[in-house]
Amino acid sequence: MTLSRRQRHSGQDAPWYDDQAGRLVRPYTISNGRTRPTAHFDLMTMVMATGRRPASCQGPDYAQVLALCGKPVSVAEIAAHIRLPAAVTKVLLADLVDWGALTARAPAAVAAGPASRTDRALLEAVLNGLRKRL
């Protein structure tokens, strides 16, 4: 007999899941109904834990995000790992930045110039390779 996902994750801090329905706690409840973060985050913004923990336990989603941020990681990667929409993930990340538990850094800009031009031949080779595989 195999256990359902809900039975396997029966700890107090485990997210609520149902095998057919998926996550039982809706994203807007995780962000307390907020849809806009207090800081600007791009999907490529890199975040990293500072080592400080929030004064009070904020819930399993915050703990899960902090566990993922031991090294620099992008907002998009975090959203994918915790299986939440990017908008909700950005609200959680903004809270953690406000509490001093995370630092955020915008992605480095690439200088425009001859060295940064896209190589057309390389792009065509990639396109041809994709066409052959599909």
Side-chain angles (χ1 to χ4, degrees):
M1 177 175 92
T2 60
L3 295 175
S4 71
R5 184 180 272 173
R6 181 188 278 176
Q7 290 168 327
R8 285 183 296 212
H9 297 293
S10 61
Q12 181 179 356
D13 289 339
W16 288 84
Y17 288 98
D18 181 74
D19 287 334
Q20 285 79 31
R23 189 179 192 105
L24 296 177
V25 177
R26 298 294 173 224
Y28 62 84
T29 61
I30 294 167
S31 64
N32 292 324
R34 294 173 293 150
T35 58
R36 298 183 196 270
T38 57
H40 174 73
F41 289 99
D42 186 318
L43 288 177
M44 297 307 297
T45 299
M46 302 299 286
V47 295
M48 186 171 164
T50 62
R52 289 189 223 141
R53 296 284 179 216
S56 62
C57 179
Q58 301 299 324
D61 295 296
Y62 289 103
Q64 188 178 12
V65 168
L66 282 173
L68 292 169
C69 296
K71 59 182 170 115
V73 61
S74 71
V75 172
E77 289 177 86
I78 293 169
H81 282 292
I82 63 174
R83 295 181 176 185
L84 284 174
V88 174
T89 302
K90 289 176 184 181
V91 171
L92 295 176
L93 291 171
D95 289 347
L96 290 167
V97 167
D98 291 345
W99 298 327
L102 289 181
T103 59
R105 171 178 71 77
V110 177
S116 67
R117 283 198 185 131
T118 304
D119 184 2
R120 183 178 177 94
L122 174 64
L123 291 176
E124 286 177 356
V126 170
L127 179 61
N128 291 335
L130 289 171
R131 284 181 178 154
K132 286 179 185 177
R133 295 207 68 176
L134 300 175

